[in-house]
Amino acid sequence: MTVRTMSRGEVDQVIEWAAEEGWNPGLGDAVPFHAADPTGFLVAEAGDGRPAAAVSVVRYGEDLGFLGLYIARPEYRGRGLGMAAWRVGMAYLAGRTVGLDGVVAQQDNYRKSGFVLAHRNVRYQGTVPAVEPPDGLADLAAVPFDRLLGYDRPLFGAPRAAFLSAWIGMPGVVGLAAGGITGNLSGYAVARPCRVGWKIGPLFADDAETADKLFRGLCARIPGGEPVILDVPEPNSTAVALAGRHGLSPVFETARMYAGRPLDLDLGRIFGITTFELG
């Protein structure tokens, strides 16, 4: 077998694998994913030369990495191809704190590889009744990008300028900010169209009131009747309450796990994580 860096087109292919597994990726995810770290996407080829398994191992700044998109084609499972990609990927992230969002079925395997539970994330989904656009929000594109980066970094745990620029620039994306144009930013949120419905993430805010306003602002701009999906860090009880208040129900969970020093993030200001694949 061979493990190598994916081409840009192969990132699209692997995201299609994820869609076939029911992961419901965003329609434009491949562009910001690849922009985050073009050498951080690995594919394992089987002996017949066909791509058989994949993993993303994206580096952020000097100290953080995030592992995701760990997937093997059904016909190649059980041959060690996924583990081969995993080992090369972990070597690529050597010396960094490495995070992942692990599905329930794989959490014991991740523990064997040195990952430790930090908290659960719970995916909430539902159809939000029509809401009036709240006042006091601005288009995210109007916020100076350096100001957005400054707000984002402590809540994500590392700089991610290339990713964030591409993330908020995806076709069809809706991005809103509370403040930030002339004064301090107090929150921002992004909604992107997916294979099914719309995922909101990130949803970062200084307090529950601002988070709720951003959530309602996005929902007012999402086509009516479309499912809304929000991935909530479970320790943030006000985020859990926000999801329930707007009619979303839990449908899925992951474990945020770290190998190395865990991140000390202010979960009370994280109402929706960006993505299970890249953190």
Side-chain angles (χ1 to χ4, degrees), residues 109-183:
N109 289 331
Y110 297 145
R111 290 186 186 95
K112 293 174 185 175
S113 295
F115 285 84
V116 176
L117 175 68
H119 58 83
R120 290 201 314 157
N121 293 315
V122 181
R123 172 162 291 174
Y124 287 84
Q125 181 172 329
T127 302
V128 178
V131 295
E132 289 294 323
D135 295 329
L137 298 177
D139 190 317
L140 189 57
V143 176
F145 191 61
D146 60 346
R147 195 168 294 173
L148 176 62
L149 288 177
Y151 188 85
D152 181 81
R153 178 169 180 165
L155 293 175
F156 180 72
R160 51 173 180 172
F163 169 83
L164 200 56
S165 176
W167 190 251
I168 65 178
M170 283 188 290
V173 157
V174 180
L176 295 174
I181 296 178
T182 58

Side-chain angles (χ1 to χ4, degrees), residues 85-96:
W86 171 282
R87 291 187 181 120
V88 174
M90 288 299 289
Y92 178 78
L93 297 178
R96 296 169 178 260

